[in-house]
Amino acid sequence: MKSHTEYLVMETPERRAMVNITPRVAEAVKKSGIREGLVLVNAMHITASVFINDDESGLHHDYDVWLERLAPHAPTSQYRHNDTGEDNADAHLKRQVMGREVVVAITGGRLDFGPWEQIFYGEFDGRRKKRVLVKVLGD
Amino acid sequence: MKSHTEYLVMETPERRAMVNITPRVAEAVKKSGIREGLVLVNAMHITASVFINDDESGLHHDYDVWLERLAPHAPTSQYRHNDTGEDNADAHLKRQVMGREVVVAITGGRLDFGPWEQIFYGEFDGRRKKRVLVKVLGD
Amino acid sequence: MKSHTEYLVMETPERRAMVNITPRVAEAVKKSGIREGLVLVNAMHITASVFINDDESGLHHDYDVWLERLAPHAPTSQYRHNDTGEDNADAHLKRQVMGREVVVAITGGRLDFGPWEQIFYGEFDGRRKKRVLVKVLGD
C-alpha cells in the first residue's frame, strides 16, 4: 500500500467564494504514483467545505443565494456562537449543507469522474489562509 | 491490497426517485473477495445523490416534500443556472443536502451496517441514463 | 495493509444531543498501529450523525435551533413516516443535513486535523442505545 499527503493553501479575498481545485488534486494523485485507490480531500477549517459539482458560475451564484437563505449571515446577533466575539456562525451552518470532504476513486491512475464532476473549495469565512488536505491511498 | 470497480447504470422514468441499490453494492463487495476494507459508492452525475437511510416509502415521500420546500423546482427562472437552457438548478441544490457519496466499512467480507441502514440512489433530474461508481478497497 | 474495527456505544438521555467522540476515535487509531491511512467514523443508526466541527456550546445550540427550523419535530402529523407509529421523521431529515459519516486522514499515526476540527456524534432521536462504527485502514 502506498500513500501520499499534500496540503493546499487557500486564501480568498472575499468572505464567500468557490474555487475549482480539481487540477491540484489531479496533480497530487499523479505525484502519488497510485493507480488504484481512493483520495480524500477535506477542508481543515470548519467554516469551509470541499464538494463536487458543476463548474458553472450561474450555479455558484445560486448556491450562494440559497445558502444565505437557509443560514443568513445577518443579523449576526441571532447566533449564540457569535457571542464569543466571532461573526461567522452562519459559515459553520453553510459548511454543513455543502459538506466537509469528498472521497474520490482512482482508477488507472486517474480521478474516476463522471462527465461534469469537478472538486470545489467552498469558502464561507475567507480573507485569511486556510488549508485543504489531500490524502491519496492505494497501490 | 486489492481493489474492485463497478459502474451501475441507473435510469428512472420520473424526474425524482429513490432506488435501493444495497443488493448491487453487496454483490460488488462479494465479487471483490475483500474481507476487510472500505467501499465508496458515489453518484457520477451532479444532480443525483447516494445516501444511506431507511427503506420506508413514507420517509421517501417526506424527503421529497422537504427537499422541494428547501429548494423548489419552480419557478425555474429563480435560478441563474437555468439561464444556460437547463431547468435543473434545483436538482444541484437538492443533491448537496442529500450528499454525493457514502463510504461503508467491510468487515468479515460484508457491508458492516446497523439494523436499518440501506444505500439509496437519489435522482433529482432523471429520465436519462446515469452512472453510480462502486469502488472496493482492502484485503 | 492493516485494519482495525471498533463499535462505540452511545446513549444520550435527551432526544437531541451532540457528543465529542474525538478522544475515542484517536484511541482506536492508536490501537490500530496504523501510521498512514484513513479512518471512517459513521453512525450505524439512521436518525443520528457523525460530523466534524467546533467544540463550542453556543454553536451547538445554534445547530439545534437551525435544524429545528429546517426540519421541525412538531406537528409530527406533517410527516408520512410517522404514520408507521414513529414520531422521529424529523430526525431522519436532520441527519441528512449533518451527514452520516466522516473520513479522516491518518498521518504519522495521528488524526491529521486542522486547528479546530473535532468529531461529534449528533443524536436526533436519543434515549436509547445506538452504535458508531470506527474503521481504520492503512499501513
Side-chain angles (χ1 to χ4, degrees), chain C residues 77-132:
Chain C
S77 62
Q78 76 191 289
Y79 300 112
R80 201 172 288 179
H81 179 59
N82 291 339
D83 294 349
T84 62
E86 300 278 359
D87 70 349
N88 66 4
D90 66 301
H92 292 269
L93 275 49
K94 286 167 169 130
R95 113 79 167 248
Q96 289 306 126
V97 177
M98 298 304 279
R100 167 189 179 260
E101 78 215 11
V102 297
V103 179
V104 181
I106 301 165
T107 306
R110 298 168 68 102
L111 294 168
D112 197 342
F113 264 160
W116 304 103
E117 289 189 285
Q118 294 283 301
I119 309 172
F120 289 90
Y121 174 70
E123 177 61 83
F124 306 111
D125 185 35
R127 302 173 296 188
R128 53 196 168 108
K129 280 206 175 88
K130 294 186 180 176
R131 288 185 305 156
V132 167

Side-chain angles (χ1 to χ4, degrees), chain A residues 61 76 85-86 118 120 134:
Chain A
H61 172 84
T76 55
E86 300 278 359
Q118 295 283 302
F120 289 90
V134 182

Side-chain angles (χ1 to χ4, degrees), chain B residues 31 35 48 59 75 80 96 103-105 109 113 120-121 128:
Chain B
K31 261 196 262 178
R35 302 285 302 168
L59 179 66
R80 202 172 289 180
Q96 289 307 125
V103 178
V104 181
F113 265 160
F120 289 91
Y121 174 70
R128 53 194 168 109

